Amino acid sequence: MNYYLLLIQFLFSLLGIFLFWQGIGYFRRMWQYKKLKSMPFPKSYEEILHNMHQYKVLSPLYKEKLHLLILIFIDSKEFVGAKMHINDEIKVIIAFYACLMRLGFDLGEKDDVSTVIVYPKHFIVNETHSSGGINHTERSILEGQSANGTVVISWQDIKYNIAQQQKDNVIIHEFAHELDFEDGFADGTPVLEGSSYRKWSEVFSKAYHTLHEQSKKGKNSDRVALLGTYALKNEAEFFAVCSERFFEAPKAFKAYFPDIYQELQRFYRLDTEALFKD
């Protein structure tokens, strides 16, 4: 009997400690938001943002929220340069696209990234795979990678995406992976608080498997061309690429994938076609 009482007391103590630290974190974030909100947005940052075509067409209200999100992002994330110096331009551009994705979320919501590592160019990673009890190591050349709150990204590819102004965006791609991994699984289905998991699964699975079969049979279509074959690698990549198109080519994406567009609109709480219509 005493054992169970001690166990209950211990569990309540752990709960109390957990709530205490949660409370400290909450008040710290509120203090940070209040401090940053009172600060003027740097003119140098705004000059950098004027090169972003999405920024130019945002309403004053959205720009105000975006400015605060960017200040919070830069203040709270650790930027690490891998064989390169991290300047304000790099910080602001990465923060812009990462925060653009969270423009429809509440402050502090879905914000689990703690570290951003930037390489000057493509980087090489060794990946180990097991097949039939035999381990195989492969070297891959990557533009970006993300896991466990850390995003690794190539500055060369960021600049290329901005110069092209088409449909690809490595920043959005990697931060979409982090959103997907919020529940601990990289499966193409993020935490859907207000959405229907069944509807999401039906819409994404149907599109993914249909396009995957078409691609295997060599039946290329405009829908496959819009996403690219890399999107068909697995469900996680499919979600990440769809997120890229949702923010970078919303009009075309909505025309070819209206059901997926609707699901992403619910998830991101943004209608990007209307947001960037100009």
Side-chain angles (χ1 to χ4, degrees):
M1 187 69 176
N2 289 335
Y3 169 78
Y4 289 110
L5 286 174
L6 287 172
L7 180 61
I8 292 170
Q9 287 176 348
F10 176 71
L11 292 174
F12 271 106
S13 297
L14 287 180
L15 178 61
I17 293 170
F18 172 76
L19 293 175
F20 175 74
W21 281 112
Q22 288 289 100
I24 288 177
Y26 171 79
F27 285 111
R28 183 179 178 278
R29 287 194 300 272
M30 291 302 104
W31 176 82
Q32 180 193 38
Y33 297 157
K34 188 176 180 180
K35 180 190 75 171
L36 294 174
K37 195 171 184 179
S38 65
M39 292 172 55
F41 193 70
K43 289 290 183 184
S44 59
Y45 287 12
E46 202 156 0
E47 289 172 4
I48 295 168
L49 291 176
H50 277 297
N51 295 319
M52 310 292 109
H53 63 277
Q54 293 103 326
Y55 178 79
K56 295 176 184 178
V57 298
L58 287 176
S59 69
L61 191 63
Y62 273 129
K63 281 183 179 178
E64 182 181 354
K65 181 177 181 181
L66 188 64
H67 288 172
L68 177 58
L69 288 172
I70 289 172
L71 289 176
I72 293 170
F73 188 96
I74 292 174
D75 185 66
S76 61
K77 312 302 178 194
E78 180 185 12
F79 284 84
V80 179
K83 301 179 182 178
M84 67 179 293
H85 171 68
I86 301 294
N87 57 27
D88 282 348
E89 181 187 18
I90 294 171
K91 289 182 180 181
V92 171
I93 289 175
I94 292 174
F96 168 70
Y97 285 111
C99 295
L100 185 68
M101 298 172 69
R102 295 175 45 243
L103 200 55
F105 301 150
D106 295 331
L107 290 177
E109 185 182 5
K110 298 185 182 297
D111 186 16
D112 297 324
V113 173
S114 59
T115 306
V116 180
I117 301 173
V118 186
Y119 279 82
K121 298 179 180 179
H122 299 336
F123 52 94
I124 298 172
V125 298
N126 294 320
E127 297 179 314
T128 302
H129 306 280
S130 180
S131 177
I134 301 173
N135 291 329
H136 303 273
T137 300
E138 296 179 357
R139 301 186 77 191
S140 301
I141 301 174
L142 302 178
E143 300 174 9
Q145 191 178 50
S146 59
N148 303 317
T150 298
V151 168
V152 187
I153 211 156
S154 156
W155 177 237
Q156 179 186 57
D157 290 286
I158 292 172
K159 291 191 293 182
Y160 179 78
N161 292 159
I162 293 171
Q164 294 298 306
Q165 290 191 4
Q166 293 183 357
K167 59 185 181 178
D168 298 316
N169 190 303
V170 66
I171 301 172
I172 292 174
H173 186 100
E174 296 307 327
F175 277 86
H177 279 315
E178 282 298 310
L179 290 171
D180 181 16
F181 199 66
E182 185 183 3
D183 59 358
F185 301 97
D187 55 6
T189 303
V191 175
L192 305 173
E193 294 165 356
S195 304
S196 164
Y197 280 92
R198 177 178 292 181
K199 181 68 181 298
W200 176 284
S201 180
E202 287 175 357
V203 168
F204 272 82
S205 292
K206 181 180 178 182
Y208 172 76
H209 289 295
T210 299
L211 295 178
H212 195 269
E213 286 302 312
Q214 288 178 358
S215 181
K216 280 174 61 178
K217 295 175 181 177
K219 296 180 179 179
N220 292 323
S221 64
D222 290 341
R223 299 175 87 210
V224 173
L226 178 63
L227 296 183
T229 54
Y230 187 73
L232 305 179
K233 183 179 179 181
N234 53 51
E235 287 87 346
E237 297 299 345
F238 189 71
F239 166 68
V241 172
C242 285
S243 292
E244 287 183 73
R245 305 301 181 264
F246 181 74
F247 285 96
E248 289 287 357
K251 186 176 181 180
F253 185 64
K254 186 176 182 179
Y256 284 109
F257 299 94
D259 292 342
I260 295 180
Y261 183 95
Q262 188 176 56
E263 289 303 306
L264 290 178
Q265 182 179 344
R266 288 198 193 101
F267 173 67
Y268 286 109
R269 303 170 206 163
L270 290 171
D271 182 354
T272 51
E273 186 195 26
L275 197 63
F276 307 136
K277 64 182 178 181
D278 296 330

